[in-house]
Amino acid sequence: MFIMCMFAADKVGLPSSPPYLSIRSASNKTNAFIGGVSFASGGAGILDGTDKLFKQAIPLSKQIEYYSTVFTELVQQIGTVEAQKHFSKSLYALVIGSNDILGYFGGLGSNLHLKNTPQELTDSMALMLKGYLKQLYNLGARKFVMVGVGAIGCCPSQRNQNKTGACKEETNYWSNKFNQNVKSLLQEMKTELKDINYVLFDTYNVLLNFIQKPADYGFTEVKAACCGLGNLNANVPCLPIAQYCPKRTDHVFWDLYHPTEAAAKIFVDTIFDGSQQYVYPINLRKLIAL
Ligand SMILES: *[C@@H]1O[C@H](CO)[C@@H](O)[C@H](O)[C@H]1NC(C)=O
Ligand SMILES: *[C@@H]1O[C@H](CO)[C@@H](O)[C@H](O)[C@H]1NC(C)=O
């Protein structure tokens, strides 16, 4: 969800971070990297190979590898002490996990479900994630912004699998389970590595609020995608052949998987200034101030 990072950068008063692949050959790498770098990739997962269909995503493992080159470069250029200082103030935002779950529960051509139970899936996602967060810690990271997965069973592609058009309960159950795993792993990390701080955003319940009380948030359509074709506009992604709705700001979902800009904006506002009910244990404004 690159759009969330753009809104977040805006809130923090920074320009949005350029993608790593566009600046890795810059002549002055220090200058290119020092203001922040985006490693985000559409379709990426915590586990390798979420993108069976197009094979173009950069999985989290590769994103961390790319980050380690940025780390090494900055340490060489500005020295260990300055670099550590810089990294300890930096924010490490992770919006990841929904593609692993979507892949498992249908729609992205994965056959993971033939080999693993959903319990095994969510456990291994959390285990791998913990390993990656520790790698980031060893590479200087101290402030983490972790965005939990939404109620994935309510995205149009999942509703489309239910004859009644209601949310898929099993997918929501495991989305919630994964979020709980993430909550405990962050608490464990905080106990082990005393000098980290984090924000964990409860995307799941904020999204459910949109669906249950749409008018409170300015939405009128919570089921169908704005852009697509077929039932709930969820048979086809937002390709040139698709149709799109006249007023996207009243939709929660842009396409069969992703929230609209209007929904992302509320997510980011909540991450920044929300109460402990939705951003745990502190909000982003407080994390920045630490
Ligand atoms: C590269 O950029 C950094 C940070 O903006 C600056 O301090 C440094 O002088 C630059 N190095 C060169 C060789 O221009
Ligand atoms: C489909 O929706 C109904 C409610 O209309 C719900 O009871 C049922 O569990 C859903 N089916 C699946 C597979 O999630």
Side-chain angles (χ1 to χ4, degrees):
M1 274 195 265
F2 187 62
I3 193 163
M4 291 199 21
C5 300
M6 296 194 333
F7 285 141
D10 201 35
K11 281 263 181 197
V12 180
L14 295 171
S16 62
S17 304
Y20 172 76
L21 295 181
S22 76
I23 53 171
R24 66 170 163 182
S25 314
S27 56
N28 184 337
K29 293 196 182 57
T30 309
N31 191 45
F33 294 155
I34 203 90
V37 184
S38 170
F39 302 93
S41 164
I46 294 173
L47 308 174
D48 290 354
T50 47
D51 176 24
K52 288 274 191 298
L53 224 44
F54 303 108
K55 297 190 165 51
Q56 288 179 341
I58 304 163
L60 188 53
S61 57
K62 189 76 187 174
Q63 295 180 27
I64 306 268
E65 225 176 280
Y66 285 155
Y67 168 69
S68 77
T69 69
V70 168
F71 173 87
T72 306
E73 181 71 29
L74 285 180
V75 167
Q76 275 170 10
Q77 294 305 317
I78 64 177
T80 310
V81 174
E82 276 305 305
Q84 294 292 1
K85 231 191 276 173
H86 178 74
F87 296 129
S88 69
K89 290 184 300 185
S90 301
L91 299 172
Y92 293 74
L94 290 98
V95 186
I96 196 121
S98 46
N99 290 320
D100 301 88
I101 295 176
L102 272 169
Y104 186 92
F105 288 104
L108 296 176
S110 157
N111 57 1
L112 257 177
H113 60 282
L114 301 175
K115 291 179 231 142
N116 301 94
T117 64
Q119 178 83 58
E120 286 166 346
L121 172 81
T122 47
D123 285 351
S124 66
M125 283 168 68
L127 191 69
M128 295 299 287
L129 181 62
K130 191 172 187 189
Y132 292 133
L133 291 175
K134 284 197 168 162
Q135 281 185 43
L136 287 176
Y137 177 86
N138 292 329
L139 297 167
R142 294 297 180 269
K143 292 183 174 186
F144 297 93
V145 181
M146 186 73 214
V147 175
V149 299
I152 298 171
C154 296
C155 73
S157 74
Q158 291 278 308
R159 286 186 189 268
N160 207 12
Q161 295 177 23
N162 192 336
K163 285 188 288 293
T164 69
C167 303
K168 276 195 76 187
E169 311 257 333
E170 194 190 13
T171 313
N172 275 352
Y173 177 85
W174 291 104
S175 305
N176 190 36
K177 211 51 179 192
F178 170 68
N179 287 332
Q180 285 171 15
N181 286 352
V182 172
K183 189 170 187 177
S184 354
L185 86 80
L186 287 169
Q187 284 167 338
E188 281 163 34
M189 269 185 71
K190 173 80 184 157
T191 313
E192 286 169 34
L193 315 164
K194 308 237 164 352
D195 57 343
I196 67 158
N197 284 291
Y198 65 90
V199 165
L200 172 60
F201 178 55
D202 186 359
T203 317
Y204 188 102
N205 281 303
V206 174
L207 185 65
L208 275 193
N209 287 345
F210 293 169
I211 292 169
Q212 286 161 2
K213 293 171 283 179
D216 289 6
Y217 302 92
F219 296 118
T220 57
E221 178 57 68
V222 301
K223 293 184 179 174
C226 172
C227 182
L229 281 179
N231 183 44
L232 299 176
N233 274 336
N235 290 347
V236 170
C238 189
L239 299 171
I241 56 158
Q243 292 176 339
Y244 56 91
C245 63
K247 200 170 170 221
R248 61 190 182 222
T249 51
D250 61 23
H251 280 59
V252 171
F253 289 97
W254 166 246
D255 67 3
L256 71 178
Y257 305 120
H258 301 99
T260 51
E261 188 176 317
K265 175 125 185 14
I266 302 175
F267 288 153
V268 172
D269 287 346
T270 312
I271 294 172
F272 210 80
D273 277 315
S275 70
Q276 236 186 16
Q277 186 184 0
Y278 301 116
V279 267
Y280 177 87
I282 53 172
N283 62 31
L284 182 51
R285 187 186 291 279
K286 291 189 178 134
L287 181 72
I288 292 168
L290 286 178

